[in-house]
Amino acid sequence: MNQNFDIPLEFLTHDEVQELSKFVGRLEEVSKRDESQSDFITFVKHVWPTFVEGNHHKIYAEKLQKVAEGKIKRLIINMPPRHTKSEFASNFLPAWMIGKQPDLKIIQATNNAELAVRFGRKAKSLIDTAEYQQIFNTRLREDSQAAGKWETEQGGEYYAAGVGGSITGRGADLLIIDDPHSEQDAMNPASFDRVYEWYTSGPRQRLQPGAKIVLVMTRWKKKDLTGILLDNQKDVKGDQWEVVEF
């Protein structure tokens, strides 16, 4: 027969109180680790202590959570600059998802290769931090030195590319496209067609079965990448997108 005994702290010795305090602290660490592993916004708060959460962050994070859980396979997030668009999708999401699935293959694309590599460097640096390693067991291969092209010890891959760049020989379980159009592109209507042609002939053809796509961008024209993809989904055979517009 099991019985519970509530023992007042004043009946414990100093050493017993210290030991109990350590035990409670370890329980709290395990609980925080488990929640950070399973919940995206909790992970962000853990590795970004100065983060201030707004209502749009909750909506944004909920959609990315559903992508990770496989409940959303095609996600478009449209929002203005300077609203944590890239931090969530291009810095924290790849690090979190490859932590949960260390053999995940990720292709990250944006409007130019230099920016894509910068995103890769931030995700790679995050994985190397003590805060991250407290949550996940994912480790980078020792020979993975390139910021825009790195691998995990468990077989995962990350590859950063600019729009128009070659992605030959790459496969993706997760394709992240972050602002495929630059401000200069918005001045040239022909650039929208080039981005779409690159998308269909490049990264879209590199998806593994069951792969997910996350497109986050500021809208520019009706014929930007978001506009074309939404037009295409009128065909029932086309990709069907979950869309959030801020």
Side-chain angles (χ1 to χ4, degrees), residues 29 32-37 42-50 92 95-96 99 122-139:
E29 289 178 3
K32 183 181 293 185
R33 181 200 65 196
D34 292 348
E35 191 174 358
S36 294
Q37 287 177 351
T42 301
F43 169 77
V44 170
K45 292 175 181 177
H46 179 77
V47 297
W48 189 9
T50 58
F92 297 121
W96 182 64
K122 288 183 177 181
K124 181 175 182 290
S125 297
L126 176 57
I127 291 173
D128 282 332
T129 64
E131 291 81 6
Y132 184 93
Q133 295 299 327
Q134 290 171 359
I135 302 170
F136 294 115
N137 293 320
T138 298
R139 300 288 188 275

Side-chain angles (χ1 to χ4, degrees), residues 208-226:
Q208 309 274 34
K212 308 170 183 73
I213 305 176
V214 175
L215 168 62
V216 294
M217 61 177 285
T218 299
R219 292 298 308 270
W220 294 103
K221 302 279 187 179
K222 290 183 178 180
K223 287 298 182 181
D224 59 19
L225 186 56
T226 288

Side-chain angles (χ1 to χ4, degrees), residues 65-85:
Q65 179 82 31
K66 289 183 177 180
V67 169
E69 294 171 352
K71 297 176 181 177
I72 296 176
K73 294 294 184 67
R74 302 288 184 268
L75 175 65
I76 291 175
I77 301 285
N78 295 146
M79 59 197 305
R82 313 303 301 172
H83 282 73
T84 327
K85 171 168 45 64

